């Protein structure tokens, strides 16, 4: 599975969500190593191609086209500096025009905002006055006989026309005031901008750039720290496995742990009472999908590939290990570990990959590590580079050796079953 991830340089988001922070960092470190390796190959290939092209170009140089620089009267390459050539505006004039334009735009923006406020005040004022006047007329004139209502209507229209005329006059007056304020403000802004340019070498843009640069450097340092920690963790795991001498090879190194197809396995629960008996995995050959897509497929995979490898069994016995659980979710695993002490763990069959998930109780919460079993060995996905011949070997190894240096996880106490029948029963039916 790790080889497939490095080949495609892609990891499914659902699978990524199952990894904890240490697993993610080391997996990203391995992906980065693969990126660098590919980049070096491309660079080497490009370098060789460039060397071939240069060699070919030298052969054709005598007959090929070439570039000749235009030279001035002094014999040197002719160079044009903007602002110094004939017809170019001097730098001071360009700067003056830019400042004036910025001041004009800022003043225009402020004037538009003032006019919106003024217009809203005028509209509100005259609408309120018109509504009051209309209400007064209605209250006074509506009781008059029908022949007098026409006169009341004419009076109302006359008053409305007068109010509209006054509103328009006040609008024009307000616009004129805003225009004058805009001109004055433009001059003030021009002078302030000019003064700021003369007395300060660092503008607000420079300060913002410095702040962005500072945040960027801090983020780079944090990423470098995580990557360095991931590299150290990866190297520590590899060295530790070599020193222990307990790294498994590929297939044919399982020391005769496969079960005979006709041999029956007697499974016992935690109390020692018989639970069920079954024959070993079927000898029928099946084509395994790239990812599990149903519980039935996972159960078939476990029966046909994992039982012959004694996954979940205690060493040298036919008893199911106390830490082994069936196809349960992350939430169910955390509920089982909720009231347990730090260092308690369980191993459950994963629904995301061909393998398992080790759920671990730490002081401040829980950690979950994916165990890849898609090949002929067992290893933590993205954390532990060690390859173990059996699942029990992996568990026993980390009873003595921590999983990650940052977390210091040691497998101290197995978490047993709380159900009867056990949650792994469907795997052995």
């Amino acid at each position: 599975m790790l080889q497939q991830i490095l080949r495609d340089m892609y990891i499914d988001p659902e699978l990524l969500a199952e990894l904890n922070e240490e697993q993610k960092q080391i997996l990203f470190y391995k992906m980065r190593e693969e990126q660098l390796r590919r980049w070096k190959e491309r660079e080497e290939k490009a370098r060789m191609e460039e060397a071939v092209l240069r060699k070919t170009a030298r052969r054709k140089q005598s007959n090929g086209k070439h570039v000749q620089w235009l030279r001035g009267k002094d014999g040197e390459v002719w160079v044009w500096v903007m602002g110094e050539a004939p017809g170019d505006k001097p730098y001071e004039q360009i700067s003056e025009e830019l400042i004036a334009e910025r001041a004009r735009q800022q003043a225009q923006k402020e004037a538009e905002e003032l006019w919106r406020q003024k217009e809203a005040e005028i509209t509100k004022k005259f609408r309120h006055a018109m509504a009051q006047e209309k209400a007064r007329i209605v209250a006074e004139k509506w009781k008059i006989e029908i022949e007098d209502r026409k006169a009341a209507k004419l009076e109302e229209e006359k008053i409305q026309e007068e109010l509209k005329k006054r509103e328009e006059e006040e609008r024009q007056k307000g616009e004129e005031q805003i225009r004058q304020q805009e001109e004055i403000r433009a001059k003030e802004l021009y002078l302030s901008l000019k003064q700021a340019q003369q007395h300060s070498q660092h503008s607000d843009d420079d300060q913002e750039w410095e702040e962005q640069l500072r945040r960027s450097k801090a983020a780079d340092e944090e990423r470098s720290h995580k990557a360095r920690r991931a590299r150290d963790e990866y190297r520590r795991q590899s060295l530790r496995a070599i020193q222990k001498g307990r790294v498994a090879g590929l297939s044919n190194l399982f020391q005769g742990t496969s079960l005979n197809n006709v041999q029956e396995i007697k499974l016992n629960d935690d109390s020692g009472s018989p639970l069920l008996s079954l024959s070993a995995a079927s000898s029928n050959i099946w084509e395994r999908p790239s990812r599990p897509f149903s519980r039935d497929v996972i159960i078939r995979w476990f029966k046909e590939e994992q039982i012959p490898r004694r996954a979940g069994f205690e060493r040298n016995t036919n008893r199911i290990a106390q830490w082994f659980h069936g196809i349960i979710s992350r939430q169910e695993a955390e509920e089982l570990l909720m009231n347990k002490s730090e260092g308690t763990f369980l191993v459950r069959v994963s629904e995301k990959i061909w393998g398992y998930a080790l759920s671990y109780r730490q002081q401040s919460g829980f950690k979950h590590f994916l165990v890849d079993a898609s090949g002929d060995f067992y290893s933590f996905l993205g954390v532990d580079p060690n390859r173990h011949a059996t699942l029990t070997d992996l568990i026993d190894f980390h009873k003595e050796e921590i999983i990650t240096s940052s977390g210091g996880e040691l497998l101290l106490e197995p978490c047993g079953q709380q159900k009867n029948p056990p949650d792994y029963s469907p795997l052995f039916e």
Side-chain angles (χ1 to χ4, degrees):
M1 177 164 290
L2 180 59
Q3 291 175 352
Q4 181 180 352
I5 292 172
L6 295 178
R7 182 177 64 251
D8 300 338
M9 297 305 289
Y10 171 79
I11 180 171
D12 189 277
E14 293 183 357
L15 180 57
L16 184 63
E18 291 289 323
L19 303 177
N20 58 37
E21 189 62 28
E22 289 86 353
Q23 288 176 301
K24 290 178 182 177
Q25 291 297 331
I26 293 180
L27 182 59
F28 292 156
Y29 167 65
K30 293 180 181 178
M31 295 176 72
R32 181 57 177 165
E33 275 189 334
E34 178 64 15
Q35 286 180 330
L36 289 173
R37 187 189 65 79
R38 295 182 185 180
W39 177 79
K40 289 178 180 178
E41 286 184 354
R42 288 195 299 268
E43 287 294 308
E44 181 64 21
K45 184 179 179 181
R47 187 186 64 79
M48 295 178 65
E49 291 177 352
E50 185 180 356
V52 172
L53 290 175
R54 282 201 301 266
K55 189 180 294 184
T56 306
R58 282 197 295 268
R59 294 195 191 105
K60 298 181 179 180
Q61 187 173 8
S62 57
N63 299 325
K65 297 180 180 179
H66 61 278
V67 176
Q68 183 176 0
W69 296 101
L70 180 64
R71 298 184 180 276
K73 295 180 179 180
D74 56 359
E76 298 295 333
V77 176
W78 181 81
V79 179
W80 171 59
V81 180
M82 185 175 63
E84 297 183 4
D88 287 354
K89 294 181 180 179
Y91 172 78
E92 291 76 11
Q93 184 179 352
I94 296 174
S95 178
E96 291 284 341
E97 292 177 355
L98 289 175
I99 293 175
E101 178 63 20
R102 288 178 61 186
R104 185 191 64 77
Q105 291 178 355
Q106 181 65 23
Q108 185 178 5
K109 183 178 179 181
E110 294 180 3
E112 290 175 354
E113 181 63 27
L114 287 174
W115 171 241
R116 279 195 295 269
Q117 296 176 2
K118 187 71 174 179
E119 187 178 24
E121 292 175 1
I122 294 172
T123 302
K124 181 178 179 181
K125 174 181 177 181
F126 281 94
R127 283 182 181 175
H128 181 66
M130 191 177 295
Q132 286 184 337
E133 187 63 27
K134 186 174 181 179
R136 185 186 64 79
I137 293 173
V138 170
E140 293 179 358
K141 300 295 184 180
W142 196 253
K143 296 181 180 179
I144 303 175
E145 297 295 331
I146 296 175
E147 60 270 13
D148 294 336
R149 290 181 182 175
K150 184 176 181 180
K153 183 68 174 177
L154 291 173
E155 183 178 355
E156 178 186 352
E157 292 176 354
K158 181 179 179 182
I159 292 174
Q160 288 181 354
E161 289 293 332
E162 183 177 353
L163 288 173
K164 287 182 179 179
K165 183 177 179 181
R166 288 171 58 191
E167 179 181 1
E168 184 63 27
E169 290 175 354
E170 190 158 345
R171 280 176 179 274
Q172 293 177 358
K173 183 178 178 181
E175 288 178 354
E176 180 63 23
Q177 290 177 351
I178 295 297
R179 188 185 63 78
Q180 293 176 358
Q181 291 180 6
E182 179 181 354
E183 293 178 355
I184 295 172
R185 183 58 177 162
K187 293 178 180 178
E188 292 175 353
L189 288 171
Y190 171 80
L191 293 175
S192 63
L193 289 172
K194 185 69 175 176
Q195 185 177 7
Q197 186 188 43
Q198 293 174 352
H199 292 85
S200 176
Q201 296 297 326
H202 300 284
S203 64
D204 293 339
D205 293 339
D206 295 333
Q207 295 177 359
E208 182 179 356
W209 167 254
E210 290 176 358
E211 177 63 20
Q212 290 178 354
L213 184 61
R214 186 191 63 78
R215 291 197 298 266
S216 177
K217 288 182 177 179
D220 288 341
E221 291 177 358
E222 178 66 19
R223 284 193 295 269
S224 299
H225 176 70
K226 289 182 178 180
R228 185 166 56 253
R229 188 172 61 187
R231 289 194 299 269
D232 294 342
E233 177 71 13
Y234 180 72
R235 292 165 182 164
R236 184 189 66 82
Q237 291 279 1
S238 301
L239 181 60
R240 185 184 64 194
I242 293 172
Q243 292 172 344
K244 282 287 182 179
R246 295 174 61 180
V247 179
L250 299 178
S251 58
N252 303 324
L253 291 180
F254 294 103
Q255 301 175 356
T257 56
S258 298
L259 300 181
N260 193 298
N261 286 340
V262 298
Q263 181 185 9
E264 290 192 352
I265 306 170
K266 191 173 183 180
L267 308 177
N268 299 324
D269 60 7
D270 295 337
S271 63
S273 61
L275 176 64
L276 52 98
S277 64
L278 53 112
S279 60
S282 171
S283 59
N284 295 332
I285 299 176
W286 70 299
E287 186 177 351
R288 185 175 66 193
S290 59
R291 287 281 300 276
F293 58 84
S294 70
R295 293 177 70 89
D296 292 338
V297 172
I298 296 172
I299 292 172
R300 181 177 180 182
W301 164 77
F302 184 84
K303 289 180 177 180
E304 298 191 7
E305 295 190 18
Q306 295 301 295
I307 289 180
R309 297 168 62 180
R310 296 184 53 81
F313 287 87
E314 292 181 353
R315 189 182 302 279
N316 301 324
T317 72
N318 289 335
R319 291 172 56 90
I320 301 298
Q322 189 178 0
W323 42 261
F324 185 75
H325 289 256
I327 309 173
I328 62 175
S329 65
R330 174 188 287 224
Q331 182 178 357
E332 291 174 306
E334 292 180 354
E335 289 174 358
L336 290 171
L337 296 169
M338 180 64 69
N339 298 320
K340 304 295 183 180
S341 60
E342 183 178 7
T344 306
F345 69 98
L346 61 86
V347 176
R348 53 193 170 90
V349 180
S350 174
E351 297 180 281
K352 303 296 184 183
I353 65 171
W354 298 115
Y356 305 87
L358 188 149
S359 299
Y360 178 85
R361 182 70 164 99
Q362 58 180 4
Q363 186 175 6
S364 59
F366 309 93
K367 278 189 176 182
H368 304 272
F369 300 92
L370 289 178
V371 179
D372 183 12
S374 59
D376 292 336
F377 52 86
Y378 298 83
S379 65
F380 283 120
L381 183 63
V383 172
D384 189 353
N386 304 330
R387 295 180 174 186
H388 303 273
T390 66
L391 186 59
T392 304
D393 287 344
L394 183 145
I395 298 302
D396 290 345
F397 181 75
H398 288 289
K399 288 180 180 179
E400 301 176 2
E401 298 291 341
I402 60 175
I403 299 176
T404 65
S405 59
S406 58
E409 306 89 354
L410 271 180
L411 306 182
L412 302 178
E413 185 70 25
C415 178
Q417 296 287 327
Q418 295 183 3
K419 294 182 179 180
N420 192 14
D423 53 31
Y424 54 67
S425 297
L427 300 173
F428 300 96
E429 291 176 351

